[in-house]
Amino acid sequence: MSGHRSPAHAVLRCAAATALAVAALAGCGAQAPPITAGPPGASPADGLTRIAGLAAERAVLSDRVAIAKSATGGAITDPPREAAVLAGARASAVRDGVDPEWVARVVADQIAASTQVQDALTKQWAEHPDTRPAQRVDLATVRPELDRIGRELVAALKVAQPARANEDCPSSLAQAAVAAAGPLDDVHKAALGRALHSVCDRSSDS
């Protein structure tokens, strides 16, 4: 990475630091009993860990999406593609017995996080062309990976679904996020925080 620091980069660093501080504080103090109810072989806490890992993986994969779009001049946002992804996520959730609106919100957060990464990188490359990767990426080769992460995310949300009703959900998710964020830089840490925004949201529970 170049030593240049733009105002946008500084804002991203601040956002990332804030997100991590909130995550760290959520895990401090007296520890609530662990979330253990769930399907045989996997607890909701395991599901939260898996969700955080998949969100981090998707955030990193967003670099390749940004490279592909930058090379072709394609727009960062793709409303028809995003609508299709959300529709597919809802259908998978209904099939698997998971709250489809919750799944859609979590998947929408993944899309927003990816957009955040792509926007940050595109701005950085415009300001400092020497930081632009030399590699070429075909978006068609990235989408199967995005689809695979999407399928695995719905499966992880099914495992984690009981955690939404537990007051320990935010602190358990924060601990999982801190672990998943370990190797990430500031841009991707900030995106990970954005991607996990709705995981412990119970607003559509009956």
Side-chain angles (χ1 to χ4, degrees):
M1 292 290 292
S2 168
H4 295 290
R5 291 293 183 268
S6 66
H9 184 85
V11 170
L12 286 167
R13 286 181 62 85
C14 181
T18 300
L20 286 181
V22 170
L25 287 172
C28 292
Q31 294 297 307
I35 302 169
T36 56
S43 72
D46 294 327
L48 294 176
T49 298
R50 182 62 176 149
I51 290 166
L54 288 167
E57 183 180 354
R58 198 183 195 285
V60 171
L61 189 59
S62 299
D63 291 21
R64 293 173 60 196
V65 176
I67 293 169
K69 291 181 178 178
S70 176
T72 62
I76 291 177
T77 58
D78 184 351
R81 165 72 178 174
E82 293 168 9
V85 169
L86 291 174
R90 284 191 177 93
S92 295
V94 170
R95 184 190 64 236
D96 293 346
V98 193
D99 177 354
E101 294 310 311
W102 174 51
V103 168
R105 286 198 303 277
V106 174
V107 171
D109 287 342
Q110 311 305 301
I111 294 171
S114 179
T115 299
Q116 186 172 303
V117 171
Q118 294 175 57
D119 186 58
L121 293 178
T122 300
K123 288 178 179 177
Q124 175 189 310
W125 298 336
E127 294 173 0
H128 308 294
D130 58 302
T131 67
R132 184 188 299 273
Q135 70 190 104
R136 304 281 294 183
V137 175
D138 184 345
L139 191 55
T141 67
V142 183
R143 282 181 169 163
E145 295 183 58
L146 293 171
D147 292 341
R148 186 264 306 166
I149 291 173
R151 292 190 298 271
E152 293 184 12
L153 180 63
V154 174
L157 287 166
K158 180 176 182 178
V159 174
Q161 187 166 228
R164 296 170 68 200
N166 193 301
E167 64 180 8
D168 192 36
C169 184
S171 62
S172 294
L173 181 63
Q175 291 171 12
V178 168
L184 303 181
D185 63 17
D186 288 350
V187 168
H188 297 87
K189 285 177 180 176
L192 176 59
R194 179 66 185 87
L196 299 177
H197 181 75
S198 299
V199 173
C200 291
D201 179 14
R202 290 179 289 170
S203 62
S204 63
D205 284 354
S206 57

